[in-house]
Amino acid sequence: MAGKPPAGDPVQDAPEVAAPQHAAAGLPAIGHTLRMAQQQMGVKRTALTLLRVNQKDGFDCPGCAWPEPEHRHKAEFCENGAKAVAEEATLRRVTPDFFTAHPVSDLARRSGYWLGQQGRLTQPMYLAEGADRYEAVTWERAFDIVAEELDALSSPDEAVFYTSGRTSNEAAFLYQLFAREFGTNNLPDCSNMCHESSGSALVETIGIGKGSVLLEDLYKADLIIVAGQNPGTNHPRMLSALEKAKAGGAKIITVNPLPEAGMERFKNPQTPQGMLKGTALTDLFLQIRLGGDQALFRLLNKLILETQGAVDEQFIREHTHGYEEFATTAREADWDETLTATGLTREKIDEALRMILASERTIVCWAMGLTQHKHAVPTIREVVNFLLLRGNIGRPGAGVCPVRGHSNVQGDRTMGIFERPAPAFLDALEKEFGFAPPRHHGLDVVRAIRALRDGEAKVFFGMGGNFVAASPDTEVTEAAMRRARLTVHVSTKLNRSHAVTGARALILPTLGRTEKDLQGSGEQFVTVEDSMGMVHASRGRLQPASPHLLSEPAIVARLARRVLGENSRTPWEEFQKDYASIRDRIAAVIPGFEDFNARVAEPGGFTLPHAPRDERRFPTATGKANFTAAPVEHPELPAGRLLLQTLRSHDQYNTTIYGLDDRYRGIKNGRRVVLVNPDDAASLGLADGSYVDLVSEWKDGVERRAPGFRVVHYPTAAGCAAAYYPETNVLIPLDSTADTSNTPVSKAVVVRLEPK
Ligand SMILES: Nc1nc2c(c(=O)[nH]1)N[C@H]1C(S)=C(S)[C@@H](COP(=O)(O)OP(=O)(O)OC[C@H]3O[C@@H](n4cnc5c(=O)[nH]c(N)nc54)[C@H](O)[C@@H]3O)O[C@H]1N2
Ligand SMILES: Nc1nc2c(c(=O)[nH]1)N[C@H]1C(S)=C(S)[C@@H](COP(=O)(O)OP(=O)(O)OC[C@H]3O[C@@H](n4cnc5c(=O)[nH]c(N)nc54)[C@H](O)[C@@H]3O)O[C@H]1N2
Ligand SMILES: [Mo]
């Protein structure tokens, strides 16, 4: 049947379904973690490696961007952090012999899970034009090939330099410097598909695209609203922070179409009491329809405005702009429209309002459930309006908390990985390095795909990540990549992007976080920035997976010298030899990094400045925090259709599939499942266990199909469905993106379910 993994792929997609769970972590998580880790690393390496995660002299967990607590627990890792580590520290190896046995045509038929399970990449590999097999090449030859193709371009803007979010600050800084000396701002990154909407909304309203709370603020909050986020799976260490916040008296409102186990109850594996009973986290669950959040916050704002004394008038007078226009619009919010958009009852919204009014200090946390919608940017702006109304920004226990994904995605942006760099940043680069950086904007992810599709971009270079699988409209994206002259991937593990290539292709294997990085001046460390703007060192301890690996900074430095030649006055050799020399330059170019080397040597690192958080100063165009007023939007749902969100299972890290279970949701041994509300399933005549094709319908009239999904009756909000990414990326039209941020709309795809 279509949709089953190809013959020879040992993975059988045969989902088994049990009831969803109502608590996260606890004993089963520990057993599960150790089993998975030991399969990859063996017993001794498992013990040695996991003890080093997020310790002060250890490496930064390559899992998520959640910050480290001040007093680190002996085992400051979580189940999914341990899986991320095991995936990297695995003892399995992909050698040149592997590529002899598996031509590209064979790799292209394998599942992402199978590709990842083959182990760590060990040598640079080259796919020549017309060839079907990668062959081992030297690093010199690999750099020559990249230089040949870059030299042949008629403009530097025909090259695209993508970054995923695990790249260290040092590597990211060198990479953007190289791209800009080469002559382009074509620096798309995974953020374009992730928190771009948060950045767009926050820069405009508070003047900085980053969250305004620190860990201790969570502990001081009266109310924490967690909207559009599944921390039990994607940021498990956040559950300990929420538990601590609750112990200090905080209440939690969860806004989600799905009842996620982690937000229901958390069994802290680090306390005996936690293991037994656990803590109920959510006080009020708002089971919202997909895309209903803007309407919800708009109505809450109206209700706050109508409550005597609820608005922080002094804060609004002194620190904000645009209040009157916002208030006029918000007062027009309509109960009926809100109830339709959200699927909530009046009672639930009233209860939420009572909790909001009772709270002196409120924090809103969010992730992909808010950012990946067409109206994501106005939705997040409405969250900002909500916080501004009661002065909940720039004081302890209050603020905006967009929870980032990849462990250094925020740092990569800070380092200048951005297709639309600020003029001040380019000025600083120009002054420090003595070249004229390009000033016109570059391509983001969606625009890069279009440029490749249309033959306007010819070289794709990926610093980490899995561009082909992570991007929307899989068929379009794959065809676009195949049109390139050259595709290059700096990677730790094999993935689909190595199998869907340009005319020529290179795989450049690199060190992971866990590994020792030895350069001319001795052992190096790198730095990262977490979701709350804390910068700290990360030092790997393991022997590298192969003697042929180069670090990311070394790859960029050597490539830059080869491509730019002696004309480049940048000391690339010095940078490679001693990463402290890179940090000195970061200190000279990027505000907040003064004395970088000295400050990062302090245990735990340092916190970057954040004007709204630190001094209630808002560096926006108006010099104030901006209220905004936009029309309320929510997705339209034609009759007989469902609104599909594409999300993560518990056993995956983005396109890296660790296993085939989604334990908290009761799914085992398969990923091609679609979760449907039982009432919707009944009216559509879809029995639990029946098979359907997912067919997306969009205004371009193109029919996009993901075949062979098992229907699972599941308590999601009415009218909504859910299925895993990246299997469903084929359904997301390239042109279906968020206004302003251009992020693919991954959380609201209109689909019909066609019975098999
Ligand atoms: N183990 C693990 N950890 C990860 C990752 C991983 O894949 N695996 N990925 C990392 C990355 S890059 C990121 S960006 C983060 C992602 O972290 P999340 O954003 O938690 O990831 P998703 O699985 O996309 O989950 C989206 C959540 O939002 C809800 N939701 C969807 N649509 C809506 C909506 O319209 N309104 C509301 N209120 N809720 C909605 C969904 O039901 C789900 O609970 O996690 C990071 N951490
Ligand atoms: N439909 C749908 N699509 C989505 C999303 C969604 O929710 N729904 N989420 C979006 C989001 S939030 C994101 S962030 C993107 C993720 O997009 P990406 O960041 O591009 O994808 P990943 O799957 O995280 O990349 C995994 C690969 O990174 C490589 N890698 C791992 N560690 C390292 C390292 O240390 N160095 C280097 N050089 N390489 C390394 C490995 O080879 C691995 O195969 O996907 C987006 N796509
Ligand atoms: Mo992400």
Side-chain angles (χ1 to χ4, degrees):
M1 188 185 74
K4 285 265 161 85
D9 190 320
V11 177
Q12 287 306 315
D13 210 65
E16 300 154 27
V17 177
Q21 301 185 1
H22 300 285
L27 270 177
I30 292 187
H32 189 69
T33 307
L34 291 178
R35 229 171 14 256
M36 276 212 170
Q38 286 171 9
Q39 279 165 15
Q40 297 280 352
M41 305 196 274
V43 176
K44 188 163 157 224
R45 196 172 164 93
T46 298
L48 283 175
T49 314
L50 295 185
L51 285 175
R52 290 276 182 202
V53 190
N54 291 343
Q55 297 301 307
K56 284 185 178 154
D57 60 344
F59 58 89
D60 180 64
C61 178
C64 70
W66 189 255
E68 287 26 287
E70 185 57 31
H71 302 288
R72 297 170 201 216
H73 212 277
K74 244 274 147 329
E76 186 50 39
F77 61 83
C78 67
E79 176 187 358
N80 276 341
K83 287 186 205 160
V85 169
E87 182 77 14
E88 180 176 302
T90 179
L91 293 169
R92 301 177 192 161
R93 296 289 177 269
V94 173
T95 61
D97 290 345
F98 170 88
F99 290 98
T100 313
H102 298 281
V104 177
S105 49
D106 174 56
L107 300 179
R109 286 188 297 110
R110 303 287 181 165
S111 67
Y113 179 54
W114 187 90
L115 292 171
Q117 289 292 305
Q118 304 312 306
R120 285 288 297 277
L121 294 159
T122 53
Q123 286 196 44
M125 302 299 302
Y126 171 50
L127 181 69
E129 191 158 4
D132 193 29
R133 281 188 171 78
Y134 278 98
E135 288 171 20
V137 279
T138 61
W139 282 100
E140 283 69 28
R141 175 83 182 113
F143 295 136
D144 284 347
I145 292 164
V146 183
E148 260 168 48
E149 292 294 340
L150 289 177
D151 285 346
L153 298 177
S154 48
S155 148
D157 288 331
E158 291 180 350
V160 169
F161 297 96
Y162 173 72
T163 312
S164 169
R166 274 195 198 174
T167 296
S168 65
N169 289 334
E170 288 75 3
F173 186 77
L174 293 192
Y175 188 54
Q176 62 81 30
L177 180 62
F178 162 59
R180 294 190 166 114
E181 274 197 46
F182 176 67
T184 185
N185 282 316
N186 284 348
L187 286 156
D189 68 350
C190 68
S191 261
N192 296 149
M193 302 183 265
C194 183
H195 264 292
E196 195 68 61
S197 305
S198 307
S200 299
L202 292 177
V203 167
E204 187 193 339
T205 53
I206 65 165
I208 172 168
K210 299 181 184 183
S212 75
V213 299
L214 298 171
L215 217 38
E216 54 260 35
D217 290 309
L218 285 168
Y219 308 149
K220 292 177 189 148
D222 297 326
L223 175 66
I224 301 170
I225 301 181
V226 180
Q229 197 200 343
N230 178 21
T233 285
N234 297 316
H235 306 93
R237 286 178 299 120
M238 181 175 167
L239 299 185
S240 327
L242 293 177
E243 183 185 42
K244 192 162 167 188
K246 287 217 78 168
K251 297 263 187 264
I252 297 178
I253 299 180
T254 297
V255 189
N256 202 308
L258 294 173
E260 303 282 29
M263 289 308 300
E264 290 184 60
R265 184 169 284 278
F266 172 50
K267 297 191 171 180
N268 192 338
Q270 290 163 355
T271 62
Q273 189 257 357
M275 293 296 288
L276 290 173
K277 219 164 113 271
T279 311
L281 291 182
T282 297
D283 296 283
L284 174 66
F285 176 40
L286 300 180
Q287 187 165 30
I288 198 164
R289 287 219 169 116
L290 288 165
D293 304 82
Q294 189 201 7
L296 172 66
F297 281 99
R298 175 65 56 87
L299 182 73
L300 288 169
N301 288 339
K302 169 194 167 99
L303 300 174
I304 292 170
L305 282 164
E306 287 171 352
T307 307
Q308 191 69 30
V311 164
D312 185 341
E313 284 168 10
Q314 191 188 345
F315 172 78
I316 291 172
R317 220 173 24 248
E318 288 173 12
H319 296 289
T320 70
H321 174 268
Y323 172 71
E324 288 305 331
E325 194 193 340
F326 152 75
T328 307
T329 315
R331 286 202 180 91
E332 288 161 13
D334 178 64
W335 268 104
D336 287 341
E337 189 190 357
T338 309
L339 297 184
T340 308
T342 61
L344 297 170
T345 60
R346 210 175 165 118
E347 292 68 42
K348 288 276 182 189
I349 295 178
D350 281 334
E351 196 178 338
L353 180 69
R354 276 195 297 278
M355 291 169 71
I356 290 160
L357 294 175
S359 164
E360 289 291 315
R361 291 174 291 268
T362 300
I363 290 174
V364 182
C365 302
W366 72 87
M368 297 305 99
L370 295 204
T371 65
Q372 296 176 329
H373 285 283
K374 177 170 185 298
H375 58 309
V377 176
T379 299
I380 296 163
R381 286 195 205 123
E382 201 60 42
V383 170
V384 174
N385 289 337
F386 170 80
L387 291 168
L388 291 178
L389 263 185
R390 288 175 52 76
N392 276 314
I393 284 190
R395 56 187 172 82
V400 283
C401 184
V403 184
R404 305 277 160 180
H406 270 300
S407 51
N408 199 40
V409 62
Q410 185 159 317
D412 290 346
R413 263 302 159 84
T414 309
M415 292 300 118
I417 303 289
F418 192 25
E419 74 283 356
R420 291 173 285 133
F425 174 80
L426 296 179
D427 294 344
L429 267 192
E430 180 156 3
K431 181 155 167 273
E432 181 66 20
F433 292 98
F435 73 101
R439 297 276 163 169
H440 57 282
H441 288 173
L443 301 169
D444 63 10
V445 163
V446 166
R447 292 185 178 96
I449 295 167
R450 287 192 197 122
L452 288 158
R453 175 194 68 190
D454 300 340
E456 288 159 11
K458 299 192 171 78
V459 172
F460 177 94
F461 193 103
M463 180 55 74
N466 182 2
F467 190 80
V468 163
S471 295
D473 230 346
T474 311
E475 285 177 23
V476 174
T477 297
E478 293 196 349
M481 290 299 262
R482 291 189 200 279
R483 266 201 89 177
R485 280 290 313 153
L486 173 70
T487 49
V488 187
H489 292 278
V490 178
S491 310
T492 51
K493 305 281 299 265
L494 201 59
N495 65 45
R496 175 124 192 112
S497 297
H498 306 128
V500 179
T501 70
R504 308 167 87 185
L506 283 162
I507 302 175
L508 306 181
T510 193
L511 293 178
R513 284 276 170 81
T514 51
E515 289 162 323
K516 254 193 208 122
D517 184 351
L518 209 56
Q519 302 292 344
S521 69
E523 209 176 302
Q524 306 295 312
F525 66 88
V526 293
T527 61
V528 293
E529 174 186 342
D530 66 33
S531 200
M532 295 180 174
M534 318 264 295
V535 178
H536 61 89
S538 173
R539 200 186 295 270
R541 302 283 175 173
L542 296 178
Q543 252 349 295
S546 140
H548 304 292
L549 303 185
L550 289 185
S551 72
E552 290 181 353
I555 292 172
V556 180
R558 289 179 58 176
L559 178 68
R561 179 59 78 205
R562 175 65 190 81
V563 172
L564 304 171
E566 296 308 317
N567 286 339
S568 169
R569 281 180 284 157
T570 302
W572 298 105
E573 293 73 17
E574 177 62 24
F575 287 164
Q576 177 182 349
K577 197 168 135 208
D578 182 2
Y579 298 173
S581 69
I582 309 175
R583 287 186 287 273
D584 283 338
R585 299 308 191 97
I586 293 173
V589 171
I590 302 174
F593 284 85
E594 298 76 17
D595 276 331
F596 191 4
N597 275 305
R599 285 197 294 156
V600 83
E602 297 291 319
F606 62 95
T607 309
L608 288 173
H610 188 291
R613 179 194 67 210
D614 304 335
E615 22 174 339
R616 277 203 162 173
R617 191 168 57 76
F618 299 92
T620 61
T622 62
K624 303 260 169 127
N626 290 318
F627 277 101
T628 50
V632 170
E633 293 174 61
H634 54 90
E636 292 292 326
L637 192 57
R641 306 295 185 263
L642 294 173
L643 206 56
L644 177 79
Q645 64 156 322
T646 62
L647 80 180
R648 293 153 174 83
S649 83
H650 194 63
D651 271 1
Q652 75 182 85
Y653 194 93
N654 298 338
T655 70
T656 299
I657 310 303
Y658 303 134
L660 300 178
D661 300 346
D662 191 5
R663 198 172 70 243
Y664 297 148
R665 299 197 185 107
I667 313 292
K668 273 187 79 174
N669 200 34
R671 293 182 45 86
R672 294 185 85 85
V673 293
V674 57
L675 313 183
V676 182
N677 174 296
D679 293 339
D680 290 323
S683 68
L684 294 169
L686 299 170
D688 187 288
S690 63
Y691 275 77
V692 293
D693 285 357
L694 307 180
V695 185
S696 95
E697 296 177 351
W698 200 60
K699 62 183 182 195
D700 62 2
V702 177
E703 203 177 81
R704 296 171 174 82
R705 184 177 294 263
F709 281 68
R710 183 200 191 279
V711 172
V712 177
H713 289 187
Y714 199 88
T716 182
C720 303
Y724 303 131
Y725 125 78
E727 285 82 350
T728 47
N729 285 38
V730 66
L731 299 172
I732 300 164
L734 184 63
D735 296 334
S736 171
T737 61
D739 300 333
T740 311
S741 67
N742 211 27
T743 295
V745 177
S746 301
K747 294 289 190 273
V749 189
V750 175
V751 289
R752 68 172 190 270
L753 273 50
E754 269 187 14
K756 297 296 284 182

